[in-house]
Amino acid sequence: MKAINFFLQNQIYLLFISQKYMPVVSFDYQDYISLFGKTISKDDLIKRLPMIGADFDKIEDDEISIEFFPNRPDLSSVEGIVRASRAFFDIKPGLTKYQVEESDIVMNVDSSVKKVRPFVRCALVKNVEMTDELITSLMQLQEKLHFGIGRNRKKVAIGVHNAEPVQPPFTYKAVDPDSYQFVPLAKVESMTLSEILSSHEKGMAYASLLEDVDLYPLIVDANDNVLSFPPIINGILTEVTPFTTDLFIDVTGTDKKAIHHALAIVVTALAERGGSVYSTKIVSENETILSPDLSIMKRELSVKRVNAILGLNLSSDEIKMFLAKMGYDAENKDEQTLMVSIPSWRADILHEIDLIEDVAVGYGFDNISYEIPSSFSFGKPLPHKESFQNLRTVLIGLGFNEVTTFTLSNEQDEFEKLGLETRNHVQIQNPIGEDYTCLRVGLLPSLLQMLADNKHHSLPQQVFELGIVSDEQYKNQYHVGGMKSSAHANFTECKSIVEAIFRDIGIKYDIKEFDHPGFINGRCAQVVNKSGFLGYFGELHPRTITNFSLEHPVIAFEFHAKKLIEGIDKRK
Amino acid sequence: MNIDKIIHELSRNEKKVLLSLQKLDGRASPEKVMNEGSFSQQVEVMNAASWLQAKKLATVKEYVKTVYSLDKEGVYFHKQGLPEKRVINYLKDHHRKASLKDISEVLKPYEIPIAIGWVKRKGWAQISKENNKTVLTLTEEGFSAGSHETIDEQLLSYLWDNPDSEIDEKKYDHLIKRSNVLKEKEIITGEISLTDQGWDVVNHGITITEEITQVTSEIIKNKYWESTPIRPYDVSTFAPSLHGGKPHPLVQLIERIRTILLRMGFSEIEGNFVESAFWNMDALFIPQDHPAREMQDTFYCKNPSSISIDDPELVKIIADVHEHGGKTDSDGWGYRFSKSEGRKPLLRTHTTVNTIRYLYHHPQPPAKIFSIGQVFRKENIDSTHLPLFYQIEGIIHDPSVSFKQLIGILSEMYKQMGFEKIRFRPAYFPYTEPSMEVEVFWNDQWMELGGSGMFRPEVTEPLGIDTPVLAWGLGLERLAMLLFGLKDIRQLYQSDFDWLQNQPLL
């Protein structure tokens, strides 16, 4: 188990998108079982759950932590996981339906919110038993939705209230920051909206979301009591306690689709815990809608396309069965087309292809057999890479150790320490620190840094790198650079090395004088051929050596690797 | 223990040291051994002794000893005589009696009190006052001392001939205390002694015969080897370590994977580090408010400050796809697309940007391409994170390929890399659907090693592609850490020389 943990904690280089956007959902195995309504062993659960699309983060006794994919916010609570696994494990395949009763609660939307935070949806959930498990789960769900689909409350913010102390109809409006004051959660004194932003923990944390607006969003009841100051904080009046039975939920935001899905996810999670869902009327200037809207969405799915994409040969009945495992209902529109019913909490179905993936998941990736394409192709290497091999072979033969160093660097190393004038180069706007503020323009600083890091080891030290630097047009260029540090390193030895390289890879060249402030005057030379300047070599100036905290003579060379190999005489 | 074999493998000098030690009762300084064995240099003794130590026949111990030489005054005294000796010699020549003024003829002014003090202390002369003058009268003791070399004088001569010698410090205490006569110095010296095993060997009897140690061209040419045996060596003894040049393990790994991919019929492409957000993100259907696009995750450039996209038509098409799906069957992300966001320059966050540009320029199938290149993510450097790392990525664009074939190709590829057991799990990436995680079985564990999938229609259709594109990729450093058994990822880029020199080739 230890070894697993080492790697799980170090899942750093997941392809495409960084792992850190994977929301981790924690739940209690016993709670899962009581919601699931059937016994499933922990081992079995751990084995089968990832095949829905998840990864175990850690398992400590009954506490299970799972990474779900950010496109599935409906799986960011144990209730959602139970619903999905009930279908996937064939306990109750197909679309789960929830009852929604009508209530007479009205939410009036004032037109003042249009430019501030235009959308709101609400719901009432009655007969809720406020167990510890429910409270834990609800808080976690709210947090995950805020972070993921809500983009840190910018797109979606959710308020959960005790419905009892407030009196509908409610109003969602934008108000002057100093015109209202109320006691926010976690405080005992009433504060104005601007005071909350400047001195309440949550206010300070999310103040940036309101920095571009003059009026702040607010939800009040019929008596002008504040329920919520979205997306910042609720009032203490509607604080949820273990004795609360009826919950009023508001979801506000800037993205109508996102708040719709978020509300559906929250109310169906509460319904899974036995709550009764009631709709509210959202009344705005030009429309009145019922919320929550748990109606299904419909999308066509072509049987032919499913089979073409997946490389399978499934009948429409089989496809329906696999869709049911994934929590959908489907019926034949015609022989080759299915009409799929998609539940309201699925925020990730943008295209038919998303349904096709779910057919594959329902079928089971591990059940898909192995097939090699019949088409034939020749692999073509990049032409310069082949000659680079020769270059490396020659350098290794001359006793050089190959190194790989960072392509990120800083101006001081790249220019100043070598005595060079700064030239146009790629600069990073948001560097991680002063050591890595730009892309490197040459290899010498990287190699000198390498020698400096290894000062404690015995001499001689010989290193080379065939690596990428960035030119004045911000384009990648391959350079080859090498360095030797020893008690007696000198220009003559360097020239011998350089001549050996050119001779062994087969290039005609001329050596001429060269001025480079990093080298000793008169002990630096350039190599040219018919295509011009190829690079330079020589004995580094003691000043350069000192600038990189070294103490022994260093000889160095750096060449344009591609120009170099273009000069190879093919006639031999 | 095979004594005959041990003796057989002894060098001539080793035998000489053993025999010398035997004569010196099994313990002696290197100098003594040198003299006893008629070595020409002490270093020969020490070399042989350390080999004997390696063979457990002798031990070499080092200790510090104090040695003496003549100082400035000492040299003068040796040449001119001790001041007190000069006084009694003068008295001897002048009827055993002389005034202070008289004896100053043979003394330097500062030597007068020293000389008076010592003749008095040694009882060589009596000092009295006559007519207000201090007069020295030679005693019998003084008379006899004048006729032979005193022990002090013997020491001065000895040290003149043998500088840096050990002396009896108690006996010569008075001379040591006299200023500028003797100078002392501490030197490190060795003591070589026979071990029990060494005694067994010498008691068994060693004979020194002529033998060849280093074969030279001279010996080969003059056929000396026909008449003289060549000494066999103990092949198990230490030889100095040697390091040549070597490829870097990471580069070797890259080359190995390149070869596998070329062999599988993939062609190689490459691209630039600096890219626009349009090609790196927008073209891959990554919504503009995706957290990965924020400054805390992606390196944006201060210079260049903007990159223009040379196909405004494509920008329009992709903007539509993001907003509402455009001409694809997608719903899109449903937000307002910003064209200026796409012009932001950044350091590419994945090599997929190379792939998508390739597809844009080559929309007609078939294509099987791969790239291996560095990508950048804003991470602080620690043992498991770097702000840059290599990505290996490939695609197959072909009208006939399917998800099933992706499984086949990946199974084959990972098998070629040495992972026999692999499995696939659902995954999520914004620009592939279906998406799949590849796990390999390594060291008794399942481990995630790469991602894969089929490009979404929102990605391919705007480029004029309506045939499937299989895509896969993996991070190189993760694989490298596994294969090289590294605990610290920095070792790959800030390599320690010892590690580089001692890490076996892949």
Side-chain angles (χ1 to χ4, degrees), chain A residues 12 16 21 55 430 476 478, chain B residues 270 272 295 297 384 431 448:
Chain A
I12 34 183
F16 304 149
Y21 307 115
D55 189 12
N430 52 333
N476 287 9
Y478 283 100
Chain B
E270 62 185 355
N272 211 44
M295 296 275 270
D297 290 292
T384 55
Y431 43 90
E448 289 175 13

Side-chain angles (χ1 to χ4, degrees), chain B residues 102-122:
Chain B
D102 295 336
I103 60 165
S104 66
E105 276 177 38
V106 292
L107 295 171
K108 291 178 180 171
Y110 72 88
E111 287 180 321
I112 296 168
I114 301 169
I116 300 293
W118 282 103
V119 286
K120 233 165 104 179
R121 241 165 97 181
K122 290 182 175 170

Side-chain angles (χ1 to χ4, degrees), chain B residues 84-85 87-97 119 122-126 137-150:
Chain B
E84 61 270 30
K85 191 70 184 277
V87 170
I88 57 170
N89 283 340
Y90 184 89
L91 291 174
K92 254 173 88 181
D93 295 347
H94 294 82
H95 314 289
R96 297 191 171 200
K97 198 172 197 175
V119 286
K122 290 182 175 170
W124 287 353
Q126 284 178 341
T137 313
L138 192 65
T139 60
E140 274 312 309
E141 227 171 306
F143 189 80
S144 70
S147 60
H148 65 269
E149 212 177 23
T150 63

Side-chain angles (χ1 to χ4, degrees), chain B residues 406-424:
Chain B
L406 179 61
I407 289 180
I409 289 159
L410 290 173
S411 303
E412 193 53 47
M413 187 179 82
Y414 279 91
K415 206 181 283 171
Q416 297 238 5
M417 286 185 201
F419 298 105
E420 285 292 330
K421 237 170 118 182
I422 70 169
R423 70 180 183 190
F424 302 96

Side-chain angles (χ1 to χ4, degrees), chain B residues 143-248:
Chain B
F143 189 80
S144 70
S147 60
H148 65 269
E149 212 177 23
T150 63
I151 56 160
D152 289 352
E153 285 167 320
Q154 284 166 8
L155 183 71
L156 292 178
S157 316
Y158 177 73
L159 290 180
W160 174 255
D161 294 333
N162 302 290
D164 291 336
S165 296
E166 281 184 286
I167 59 171
D168 184 338
E169 291 178 0
K170 262 196 193 131
K171 190 170 161 193
Y172 297 111
D173 184 46
H174 53 282
L175 209 52
I176 290 167
K177 281 181 181 152
R178 285 174 75 160
S179 59
N180 299 332
V181 174
L182 300 182
K183 56 185 174 198
E184 62 170 59
K185 123 175 140 189
E186 292 195 328
I187 60 168
I188 295 168
T189 183
E191 185 186 74
I192 309 165
S193 42
L194 285 176
T195 60
D196 290 348
Q197 199 172 328
W199 275 115
D200 290 347
V201 167
V202 291
N203 291 337
H204 191 269
I206 300 173
T207 48
I208 297 177
T209 50
E210 219 30 64
E211 58 176 13
I212 297 169
T213 304
Q214 178 66 50
V215 178
T216 62
S217 53
E218 200 55 41
I219 290 173
I220 296 170
K221 281 188 279 184
N222 65 22
K223 310 233 166 151
Y224 182 49
W225 48 271
E226 283 183 340
S227 56
T228 315
I230 301 172
R231 186 170 67 85
Y233 287 151
D234 174 1
V235 295
S236 67
T237 45
F238 159 88
S241 56
L242 181 67
H243 297 287
K246 266 199 325 204
H248 191 277

